[in-house]
């Protein structure tokens, strides 16, 4: 990407109020808090009930706009990463435009399906469109109502996921330190290792192997595309699927876990929402600029790595 200067000017997220603990699962499944916590690092997750992927996306958008005191009328591109919309059309992004009251503006809206890597894919697409000069302000959202697509009788999958949404607003930057780099990719899963058809079906062990293999490789690759070394990265923001996967990446790369943002204990795996929720929580407490590396992996198979300032 030439002249690849992009800045994030707003962060926000939204999770439904209702919380489901591991003990709640033990009431209807043969499982336990001990099994779930030691195998995954998850203690609880938020579950939406009535609120759809669109509601979650809209709330995250509103919070992002409020947090950054942003003029909604400036937004001319909305991209939502999601795999859980009930509607084939219109897109979630299209409905967010309507709810934000900017239907009369020139805005391009669409959704991206790249499972848990979707948010990082959407960041690359949004950045490219901003750099093309055709758009000036991109609202990028990851929103998932995973509770609507899990099989509540399958103890090996339903305990993993949670609902929520996170968002950022991107603009072109003039600051030479705001260079962005992306390494997004995929490897077709024609064997049904992680499919949603119509509910989540997953070979957990295979996904685990894929994740611990691809994450260090993708981190290395995006670093090679940039002028930076691992030690130049302040924070790693990994997709939250399993704490053991993150620990394995840290060990593999000889890094302290302190370098990784983690909130899986509280939210479970929120698919494309996990990275923007982490970002929003972090930025609500830390205002100084940091160089971050985002790393996601997911169904497809897909992976996404990015270096951006936050
Ligand atoms: O965003 C990407 C989405 N997916 C992932 O990242 C998933 C990656 N994979 C994983 O995180 C792990 O593979 C899991 C957490 C899904 C499973 O952990 P595991 O250590 O690979 O367990 P396992 O599948 O080998 O199962 C071990 C045992 C089995 O019993 P047997 O066959 O040994 O008797 C399972 O039936 O644990 C059993 N089991 C459970 N027991 C209690 C599976 N789920 C549960 C459960 N509670 N919820």
């Amino acid at each position: 990407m030439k002249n690849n200067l992009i800045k994030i000017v707003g962060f926000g997220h939204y999770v439904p109020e209702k919380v489901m603990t591991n003990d709640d699962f033990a009431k209807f499944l043969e499982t336990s808090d001990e099994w779930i916590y030691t195998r995954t690092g998850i203690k609880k997750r938020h579950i939406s009930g009535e609120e759809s992927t669109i509601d979650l996306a809209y709330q995250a958008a509103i919070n992002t706009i409020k947090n950054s005191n942003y003029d909604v009328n400036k937004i001319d591109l909305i991209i939502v990463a999601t795999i859980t919309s009930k509607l084939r059309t219109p897109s979630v992004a299209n409905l967010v435009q309507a709810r934000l009251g900017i239907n009369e503006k020139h805005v391009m809206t669409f959704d991206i399906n790249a499972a848990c890597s979707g948010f990082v894919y959407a960041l690359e697409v949004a950045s490219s469109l901003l750099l093309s000069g055709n758009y000036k302000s991109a609202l990028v959202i990851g929103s998932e109502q995973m509770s609507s697509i899990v099989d509540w009788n399958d103890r090996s999958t339903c305990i993993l996921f949670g609902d929520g949404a996170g968002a950022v607003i991107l603009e072109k930057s003039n600051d030479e330190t705001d260079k962005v780099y992306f390494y997004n990719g995929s490897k077709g899963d024609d064997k049904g290792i992680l499919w949603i058809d119509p509910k989540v079906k997953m070979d957990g062990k295979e996904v685990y192997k894929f994740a611990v293999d691809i994450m260090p490789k993708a981190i290395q690759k995006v670093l090679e595309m940039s002028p930076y070394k691992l030690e130049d990265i302040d924070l790693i923001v990994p997709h939250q699927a399993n704490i053991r996967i993150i620990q394995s990446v840290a060990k593999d790369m000889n890094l302290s876990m302190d370098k990784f943002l983690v909130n899986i204990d509280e939210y479970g795996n929120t698919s494309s929402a996990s990275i923007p929720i982490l970002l929003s929580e972090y930025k609500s407490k830390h205002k100084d600029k940091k160089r971050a590396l985002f790393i996601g992996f997911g169904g497809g198979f897909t992976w996404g790595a990015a270096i951006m300032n936050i």
Side-chain angles (χ1 to χ4, degrees):
M1 234 184 256
K2 287 228 168 78
N3 306 318
N4 51 341
L5 303 180
I6 295 285
K7 59 185 173 184
I8 306 181
V9 296
F11 299 85
H13 75 283
Y14 175 80
V15 290
E17 218 171 84
K18 188 180 161 199
V19 164
M20 202 166 164
T21 64
N22 293 343
D23 285 331
D24 291 331
F25 281 92
K27 291 175 191 154
F28 62 94
L29 286 173
E30 215 173 296
T31 189
S32 64
D33 175 50
E34 201 264 333
W35 193 97
I36 298 172
Y37 185 62
T38 53
R39 298 280 176 137
T40 69
I42 300 167
K43 286 188 184 143
K44 55 188 180 181
R45 68 290 287 145
H46 293 250
I47 298 290
S48 73
E50 294 293 293
E51 289 169 298
S52 70
T53 299
I54 297 151
D55 299 321
L56 303 176
Y58 170 65
Q59 290 301 335
I62 286 291
N63 289 343
T64 306
I65 290 161
K66 272 193 199 145
N67 292 345
S68 51
N69 202 12
Y70 200 79
D71 177 4
V72 68
N73 291 301
K74 281 166 69 178
I75 294 168
D76 56 5
L77 172 64
I78 305 175
I79 306 179
V80 178
T82 188
I83 49 170
T84 53
S85 181
K86 287 197 178 79
L87 302 174
R88 279 178 193 252
T89 196
S91 66
V92 176
N94 173 277
L95 293 174
V96 168
Q97 177 193 6
R99 291 205 198 168
L100 289 177
I102 50 173
N103 272 354
E104 302 315 315
K105 302 275 164 190
H106 171 248
V107 185
M108 179 159 73
T109 61
F110 59 93
D111 293 352
I112 282 185
N113 173 346
C116 306
S117 314
F119 183 75
V120 188
Y121 270 48
L123 289 177
E124 179 168 11
V125 175
S127 298
S128 305
L129 288 167
L130 292 172
L131 294 170
S132 77
N134 285 351
Y135 302 89
K136 293 200 159 40
S137 166
L139 173 62
V140 179
I141 307 172
S143 181
E144 304 289 10
Q145 188 190 10
M146 296 303 288
S147 60
S148 68
I149 55 158
V150 295
D151 175 352
W152 288 92
N153 297 311
D154 178 2
R155 66 178 182 169
S156 68
T157 54
C158 71
I159 49 104
L160 299 172
F161 297 99
D163 299 335
V168 295
I169 299 170
L170 305 181
E171 288 180 359
K172 259 200 318 195
S173 171
N174 295 318
D175 180 341
E176 282 297 320
T177 67
D178 284 336
K179 285 208 164 87
V180 295
Y181 300 90
F182 295 100
Y183 178 64
N184 289 314
S186 78
K187 176 180 174 222
D189 172 16
D190 54 359
K191 302 203 167 53
I193 293 167
L194 176 42
W195 282 22
I196 299 167
D197 180 25
K199 301 285 176 192
V200 176
K201 292 185 188 75
M202 179 175 73
D203 180 339
K205 280 215 183 310
E206 284 302 314
V207 179
Y208 193 100
K209 275 195 258 169
F210 169 73
V212 298
D213 178 58
I214 196 66
M215 287 173 81
K217 283 185 182 155
I219 291 173
Q220 214 55 59
K221 198 81 187 168
V222 75
L223 284 169
E224 280 165 22
M225 294 164 76
S226 80
Y228 308 124
K229 297 199 169 53
L230 201 45
E231 51 270 30
D232 301 321
I233 302 295
D234 299 314
L235 289 169
I236 299 188
V237 188
H239 170 50
Q240 307 286 294
N242 187 324
I243 192 71
R244 291 189 294 135
I245 292 176
I246 300 169
Q247 286 163 342
S248 158
V249 174
K251 193 164 167 231
D252 200 46
M253 306 199 78
N254 215 2
L255 289 170
S256 154
M257 275 298 282
D258 293 345
K259 205 157 181 145
F260 292 75
L261 298 189
V262 171
N263 64 10
I264 190 168
D265 52 333
E266 167 139 15
Y267 300 108
N269 178 347
T270 56
S271 189
S272 66
S274 75
I275 289 176
I277 293 175
L278 277 171
L279 293 176
S280 167
E281 285 197 318
Y282 179 82
K283 289 306 288 184
S284 69
K285 296 185 204 110
H286 305 87
K287 297 297 169 209
D288 52 327
K289 198 161 160 177
K290 296 278 187 201
R291 184 176 299 128
L293 193 156
F294 311 155
I295 177 74
F297 71 92
F301 289 119
T302 56
W303 62 87
I307 297 174
M308 293 184 91
N309 284 332
I310 63 169

